[in-house]
Amino acid sequence: MKTLIAFFLIISSTTLLAAENYDCEVFGPNYKLSIENSGEITFSNHLKSYTCLKGRESLPFPGADIELNVLRCASRSSKVDFYYAIKDDGNIILSKNIGTSQDILCSKL
């Protein structure tokens, strides 16, 4: 029985540690960005919660098309898209619009 309990605790702690969690600094209550091993992505705080999907978007620029990473997030009442980049230190930068919005820094927890 002790072996079974120890095995369960090891497996459950491994799955909890395997998820990537970030603290995102925004005006107002900070959001948490959580990326699970199953591919489920949530962007939430105590007021609002979004479920997100990763995607790619091609934007035309003079002389070339640029492929950007995008998070498409939706709650029951609204939708928001974020362009994102992963920095060398593992943190994530989110931007609602290219060049016209304040970036959101998401620091890895």
Side-chain angles (χ1 to χ4, degrees):
M1 186 66 164
K2 289 180 184 178
T3 307
L4 182 59
I5 292 171
F7 178 74
F8 176 76
L9 290 174
I10 290 170
I11 295 299
S12 63
S13 66
T14 302
T15 56
L16 288 175
L17 294 175
E20 296 179 40
N21 294 299
Y22 300 85
D23 181 48
C24 302
E25 298 175 13
V26 297
F27 183 74
N30 284 359
Y31 276 80
K32 301 290 184 205
L33 177 64
S34 176
I35 303 170
E36 303 294 331
N37 283 341
S38 63
E40 182 179 335
I41 301 169
T42 55
F43 187 66
S44 62
N45 64 14
H46 66 276
L47 298 174
K48 195 155 205 146
S49 180
Y50 294 93
T51 301
C52 306
L53 297 172
K54 285 184 182 179
R56 305 245 331 138
E57 188 172 301
S58 179
L59 293 179
F61 279 92
D65 283 346
I66 297 178
E67 287 284 322
L68 298 172
N69 296 317
V70 66
L71 280 180
R72 300 193 188 288
C73 303
S75 69
R76 282 191 245 154
S77 60
S78 63
K79 293 181 182 182
V80 64
D81 291 344
F82 294 104
Y83 297 103
Y84 73 93
I86 300 172
K87 295 174 56 176
D88 291 338
D89 60 5
N91 293 333
I92 295 176
I93 296 178
L94 301 176
S95 181
K96 285 188 180 181
N97 296 309
I98 300 298
T100 61
S101 70
Q102 180 72 28
D103 291 339
I104 299 169
L105 175 64
C106 297
S107 301
K108 197 166 194 170
L109 296 175

